[in-house]
C-alpha cells in the first residue's frame, strides 16, 4: 500500500517525507485555504520539488472546457502532477480526454460503486472514495472501499483505489486488509500508525534497566 499525505502544509509534508514512508501528496481547495495559499500553482510546484511521488492538484473549474484548460496547465507544473477532477459528468468527460492525452488524473469525491465504475471506464488513474465522510452520515465507508476493490479486480481495471477522508489508523489497517492501493491521510493519522502503549512502556523499561546497570558500574 502506498501512503500519501493529505495536506497543503509544507512543514507537514516535509515531516512525512523525513519519515521515509511517503509515496505522494493529495491536496484540495479546502486544504489550501487552511494554510493561506495565494499562488496555488506555485505552491504545487514547491510540493513537487519536495516529493518524488505523485502530487494531486485539484481543478476548481466545473465545466468540461474549463477543466481541460485548467488541468492541462496544472499538468505542466511538474512530471509528478496528477490532475484531480470532481466526479461529475463534465469531469468524467475531462478524464476521458486527459486519458487519451496521457495526462494522469485523480477522480475525487467518489461516494458510490457506480461512480467508481464510471471513473474507471473513463480511464482515471486514481479513484478517491471518501470513506470518512460516508461514516459521518452513518453509511459504511469501508464497505465502499471493499466493493470498489472487488469490482476493479473482477474486470482488471488499472485505476488505483486511493482511500481518502481517512479519520484514524484503523481506517488505514482495514483499507490495507481490503487491498486498497493507496491511503491518503493527515500527518496525525500517519504518526498515529506508529503508536502503541506497549512500545512506549517497553522502551521506558529498557532505558530504566540500562540506567540502573550503568549506575551499578560506577
Amino acid at each position: 500500500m502506498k501512503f500519501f499525505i493529505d495536506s497543503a502544509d509544507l512543514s507537514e509534508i516535509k515531516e512525512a517525507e523525513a519519515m521515509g514512508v511517503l509515496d505522494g501528496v493529495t491536496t484540495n481547495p479546502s486544504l489550501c485555504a487552511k494554510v493561506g495559499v495565494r499562488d496555488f500553482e506555485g505552491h504545487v510546484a514547491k510540493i513537487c520539488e519536495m516529493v518524488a511521488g505523485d502530487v494531486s492538484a485539484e481543478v476548481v473549474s466545473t465545466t468540461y472546457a474549463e477543466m481541460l484548460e485548467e488541468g492541462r496547465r496544472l499538468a505542466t507544473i511538474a512530471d509528478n502532477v496528477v490532475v484531480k477532477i470532481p466526479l461529475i459528468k463534465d469531469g468524467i468527460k475531462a478524464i476521458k480526454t486527459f486519458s487519451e492525452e496521457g495526462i494522469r488524473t485523480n477522480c475525487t469525491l467518489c461516494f458510490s460503486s457506480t461512480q467508481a465504475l464510471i471513473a474507471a471506464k473513463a480511464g482515471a488513474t486514481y479513484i478517491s472514495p471518501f470513506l470518512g465522510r460516508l461514516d459521518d452520515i452513518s453509511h459504511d465507508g469501508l464497505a465502499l472501499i471493499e466493493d470498489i476493490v472487488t469490482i476493479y479486480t473482477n474486470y482488471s481495471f488499472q485505476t488505483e483505489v486511493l482511500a481518502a477522508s481517512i479519520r484514524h489508523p484503523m481506517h488505514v489497517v482495514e483499507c490495507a486488509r481490503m487491498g486498497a492501493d493507496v491511503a491518503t491521510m493527515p500527518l496525525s493519522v500517519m504518526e498515529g500508525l506508529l503508536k502503541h502503549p506497549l512500545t512506549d512502556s517497553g522502551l521506558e523499561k529498557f532505558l530504566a534497566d540500562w540506567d540502573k546497570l550503568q549506575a551499578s558500574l560506577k
Side-chain angles (χ1 to χ4, degrees):
M1 172 184 265
K2 290 184 280 190
F3 283 4
F4 288 6
I5 185 171
D6 195 34
S7 177
D9 187 318
L10 298 182
S11 63
E12 290 184 348
I13 295 168
K14 183 178 180 180
E15 182 64 21
E17 175 70 12
M19 289 173 66
V21 298
L22 188 65
D23 298 296
V25 179
T26 55
T27 65
N28 61 48
S30 296
L31 292 171
C32 290
K34 185 178 178 181
V35 295
V37 172
R38 293 181 179 274
D39 176 11
F40 176 65
E41 293 181 21
H43 197 74
V44 170
K46 290 178 183 177
I47 295 173
C48 290
E49 290 174 359
M50 294 173 65
V51 300
D54 289 345
V55 176
S56 288
E58 188 163 348
V59 301
V60 293
S61 304
T62 56
T63 68
Y64 172 72
E66 290 174 334
M67 279 190 272
L68 288 185
E69 180 182 357
E70 187 178 355
R72 286 165 179 158
R73 189 172 66 248
L74 290 173
T76 65
I77 293 173
D79 290 340
N80 53 334
V81 166
V82 175
V83 180
K84 204 171 182 182
I85 303 289
L87 213 162
I88 56 177
K89 187 160 77 169
D90 274 16
I92 292 298
K93 292 178 181 178
I95 286 170
K96 176 63 174 175
T97 299
F98 284 139
S99 177
E100 293 169 349
E101 295 178 354
I103 294 174
R104 295 179 302 145
T105 55
N106 177 354
C107 189
T108 189
L109 291 170
C110 174
F111 294 98
S112 74
S113 300
T114 54
Q115 290 179 318
L117 183 56
I118 287 288
K121 287 182 68 64
T125 309
Y126 295 101
I127 184 70
S128 289
F130 279 40
L131 65 105
R133 293 196 191 184
L134 283 171
D135 288 354
D136 290 345
I137 59 168
S138 301
H139 286 256
D140 191 344
L142 287 169
L144 175 60
I145 301 295
E146 187 172 29
D147 284 349
I148 296 172
V149 170
T150 299
I151 291 167
Y152 283 9
T153 300
N154 285 347
Y155 297 100
S156 300
F157 284 120
Q158 297 304 302
T159 303
E160 294 190 47
V161 179
L162 192 162
S165 187
I166 284 177
R167 302 280 197 253
H168 48 73
M170 281 309 299
H171 271 162
V172 181
V173 172
E174 290 302 321
C175 287
R177 197 192 308 273
M178 292 169 182
D181 301 287
V182 188
T184 188
M185 68 200 85
L187 179 62
S188 59
V189 173
M190 193 176 294
E191 292 176 333
L193 296 172
L194 290 165
K195 295 179 181 177
H196 196 286
L198 291 179
T199 300
D200 296 337
S201 62
L203 180 59
E204 184 179 355
K205 186 178 187 308
F206 288 161
L207 294 178
D209 288 345
W210 179 254
D211 289 342
K212 190 182 300 182
L213 173 62
Q214 298 310 303
S216 71
L217 297 176
K218 292 181 180 178

